[in-house]
């Protein structure tokens, strides 16, 4: 009986990698939401900055990305420490020029108290557009 506990612990430790492998293959809810949003779109060359007119709409995708809309183009930014993105927080951008650029910071603030939260650093912006329809 005194050997039962060590055996149970050993069995748990041996099963842990199999459980981790199963969950590692499954995309997160944020990745699924982003994939759905980008369905039918093609990625373009990344850009370092967005002008004010290129950021009309903003969508925060939990633990994944910030998505900016410019007409028919969606710009996806996967900031460093994206795991702290929460759609219920208010992003406050700290930019160093009139454009929003790679390496600028965004502080996520609580929507109700406006208390400061994690600060994330922006990465490059990847544009996604729908391909032009080919005429027959």
């Amino acid at each position: 009986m005194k050997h039962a506990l060590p055996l149970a612990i050993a069995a748990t430790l041996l099963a842990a990698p199999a459980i981790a492998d199963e969950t590692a293959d499954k995309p997160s809810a944020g990745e699924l939401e982003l994939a759905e949003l980008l369905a039918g779109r093609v990625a373009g060359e990344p850009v370092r900055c967005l002008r004010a007119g290129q950021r009309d709409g903003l969508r925060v995708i939990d633990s994944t990305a910030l998505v900016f809309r410019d007409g028919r183009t969606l710009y996806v930014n996967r900031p460093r420490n994206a795991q702290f993105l929460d759609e219920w927080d208010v992003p406050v951008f700290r930019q160093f020029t009139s454009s929003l650029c790679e390496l600028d910071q965004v502080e996520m603030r609580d929507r109700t108290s406006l208390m400061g939260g994690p600060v994330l650093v922006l990465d490059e912006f990847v544009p996604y557009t729908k391909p032009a329809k080919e005429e027959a």
Side-chain angles (χ1 to χ4, degrees):
M1 192 67 162
K2 64 181 176 179
H3 298 292
L5 184 58
L7 289 175
I9 292 172
T12 303
L13 291 174
L14 290 173
I19 294 168
D21 287 344
E22 286 178 19
T23 58
D25 293 341
K26 294 181 182 179
S28 68
E31 290 294 341
L32 292 172
E33 181 181 346
L34 182 60
E36 184 178 316
L37 184 65
L38 299 177
R41 295 178 180 269
V42 178
E45 286 294 317
V47 296
R48 293 196 66 233
C49 297
L50 294 181
R51 297 180 316 276
Q54 292 178 296
R55 337 183 279 258
D56 291 336
L58 170 63
R59 184 168 173 177
V60 177
I61 299 181
D62 285 348
S63 303
T64 306
L66 297 166
V67 181
F68 299 86
R69 180 176 296 277
D70 177 27
R72 299 181 63 187
T73 303
L74 298 179
Y75 289 92
V76 177
N77 189 293
R78 293 177 176 265
R80 297 173 192 155
N81 297 325
Q83 72 269 19
F84 295 113
L85 286 173
D86 184 341
E87 68 178 299
W88 294 107
D89 287 344
V90 177
V92 177
F93 295 97
R94 297 179 188 163
Q95 53 195 83
F96 300 102
T97 65
S98 60
S99 296
L100 187 61
C101 295
E102 179 180 11
L103 301 180
D104 283 345
Q105 298 175 347
V106 57
E107 179 182 15
M108 303 306 290
R109 292 193 179 184
D110 181 80
R111 187 176 297 273
T112 53
S113 68
L114 294 181
M115 285 186 57
V119 175
L120 298 88
V121 178
L122 297 177
D123 205 344
E124 60 191 9
F125 298 86
V126 180
Y128 286 84
T129 55
K130 291 187 178 179
K133 293 184 181 181
E134 295 179 19
E135 304 215 11

